[in-house]
Amino acid sequence: MIAPLGLGLAVFYLWPIAQTFYFGFTEWGPFGGSEWTGLANYERLLADEEVWTALRNSIAYTALVLLGVPVAIVFAALLNQRRLRGRGIFRTVYFLPVVTMPSAVAMLWQYLYNGDFGVLNQLLALVGVDGPSWVSDPRTAIYALAAIGVWMAFGYNLVILMAGLQNVPKQLYEASAIDGAGPVRQFVSITVPMLSPTIFFVSVISVIGTLQMFDLVYLMMPAGSPALPATQTIVHLFYSTSFVRNDPGYGAAIAFVLFVVIALLTAVQFRIQRRWVHYV
């Protein structure tokens, strides 16, 4: 009964992983054909500063986007109030960035971030602040991209967290209200602990997804951009190495390193969750 699903998993997931792992030990010629080179690609990778910079950028972007999870928790709790009118409209509006094409998102935010006529700098000019070129300045580019990442993931996180809130027994809130607990105390002592399994799920999915970020860098950081070294992620470096520089063997080694990093961080998250996740 599970054979069709198992076959699809093997063909589209397990085999590409095994093939990528094998390609990481090869070197490819300009016209195809590969040659076994052993650990040469991985030795080169360890000494490649560009790889380590891209990995640091990916981790920094992931850490910044994760800051949006607590915000989503607060908004989910607010939207879960039965007295709030138009909850469905709010959920729909917040979810729109999730279903918007990344190319459209990039065009929108390039207009907002434009250093000369962007809306953000126009607003800052009203209060006498001279805004920077957000996506061209290496000092601000990673934060600008992270803000977009938070905005794009906010709706998805919100919907998942609101679904988790439906499993919190209402009797807990009623009993705490009788004991004199206010909304803030209820949120800290009831909502967050009872929602911890959902928060854990959102955190794991967010880490896995943000470490694979590619589209925003590709669409908003053209080749030669002064901010590209400060924002290039490990997936963008894999793309550039494999398809622009035509070095798929080394690109496969980079991709497998990302796979290992994601697996290790996920394992750490599952290890730590025993200390703070409460399963009812």
Side-chain angles (χ1 to χ4, degrees), residues 55-110:
L55 186 58
R56 286 195 297 269
N57 292 340
S58 297
I59 294 175
Y61 175 82
T62 299
L64 291 170
V65 172
L66 282 176
L67 295 177
V69 175
V71 180
I73 296 171
V74 174
F75 272 77
L78 293 174
L79 291 177
N80 196 50
Q81 302 297 317
R82 294 185 176 181
R83 293 171 295 178
L84 180 66
R85 295 182 178 180
R87 291 189 298 171
I89 298 176
F90 282 112
R91 286 197 296 263
T92 302
V93 171
Y94 286 134
F95 197 75
L96 284 177
V98 180
V99 297
T100 305
M101 294 296 293
S103 55
V105 171
M107 292 176 62
L108 170 65
W109 283 90
Q110 279 180 327

Side-chain angles (χ1 to χ4, degrees), residues 11-54:
V11 171
F12 295 107
Y13 287 90
L14 300 181
W15 172 245
I17 292 174
Q19 197 173 35
T20 300
F21 179 68
Y22 169 75
F23 285 162
F25 297 97
T26 62
E27 181 179 358
W28 290 68
F31 302 103
S34 61
E35 177 184 355
W36 180 266
T37 57
L39 295 173
N41 284 329
Y42 290 95
E43 293 174 354
R44 173 185 168 191
L45 186 148
L46 291 174
D48 191 346
E49 183 60 30
E50 188 177 21
V51 172
W52 292 105
T53 300

Side-chain angles (χ1 to χ4, degrees), residues 209-210 212-219 233 235-237 239-240:
T210 52
Q212 300 177 72
M213 197 272 284
F214 166 76
D215 43 17
L216 290 180
V217 176
Y218 178 75
L219 293 167
T233 60
V235 177
H236 188 275
L237 179 60
Y239 163 79
S240 300

Side-chain angles (χ1 to χ4, degrees), residues 105-119:
V105 171
M107 292 176 62
L108 170 65
W109 283 90
Q110 279 180 327
Y111 177 73
L112 294 175
Y113 279 147
N114 188 280
D116 297 322
F117 54 82
V119 174

Side-chain angles (χ1 to χ4, degrees), residues 59-245:
I59 294 175
Y61 175 82
T62 299
L64 291 170
V65 172
L66 282 176
L67 295 177
V69 175
V71 180
I73 296 171
V74 174
F75 272 77
L78 293 174
L79 291 177
N80 196 50
Q81 302 297 317
R82 294 185 176 181
R83 293 171 295 178
L84 180 66
R85 295 182 178 180
R87 291 189 298 171
I89 298 176
F90 282 112
R91 286 197 296 263
T92 302
V93 171
Y94 286 134
F95 197 75
L96 284 177
V98 180
V99 297
T100 305
M101 294 296 293
S103 55
V105 171
M107 292 176 62
L108 170 65
W109 283 90
Q110 279 180 327
Y111 177 73
L112 294 175
Y113 279 147
N114 188 280
D116 297 322
F117 54 82
V119 174
L120 183 56
N121 280 359
Q122 294 292 333
L123 294 175
L124 292 175
L126 295 178
V127 294
V129 177
D130 187 16
S133 297
W134 296 94
V135 293
S136 300
D137 191 336
R139 296 171 298 179
T140 59
I142 189 67
Y143 301 102
L145 293 184
I148 303 174
V150 171
W151 181 73
M152 292 178 66
F154 183 79
Y156 176 81
N157 294 342
L158 184 69
V159 169
I160 298 298
L161 291 166
M162 289 191 67
L165 284 172
Q166 308 312 308
N167 297 322
V168 180
K170 304 303 179 184
Q171 296 87 341
L172 296 178
Y173 294 106
E174 295 171 357
S176 64
I178 294 175
D179 290 337
V184 175
R185 182 60 184 271
Q186 289 179 337
F187 176 78
V188 174
S189 301
I190 298 176
T191 303
V192 173
M194 295 297 293
L195 198 59
S196 56
T198 308
I199 297 173
F200 171 65
F201 170 79
V202 168
S203 301
V204 171
I205 295 300
S206 297
V207 169
I208 294 174
T210 52
L211 281 174
Q212 300 177 72
M213 197 272 284
F214 166 76
D215 43 17
L216 290 180
V217 176
Y218 178 75
L219 293 167
M220 302 186 69
M221 299 292 167
S225 171
L228 181 58
T231 56
Q232 180 171 241
T233 60
I234 198 73
V235 177
H236 188 275
L237 179 60
F238 157 74
Y239 163 79
S240 300
T241 302
S242 300
F243 302 106
V244 178
R245 305 171 192 172

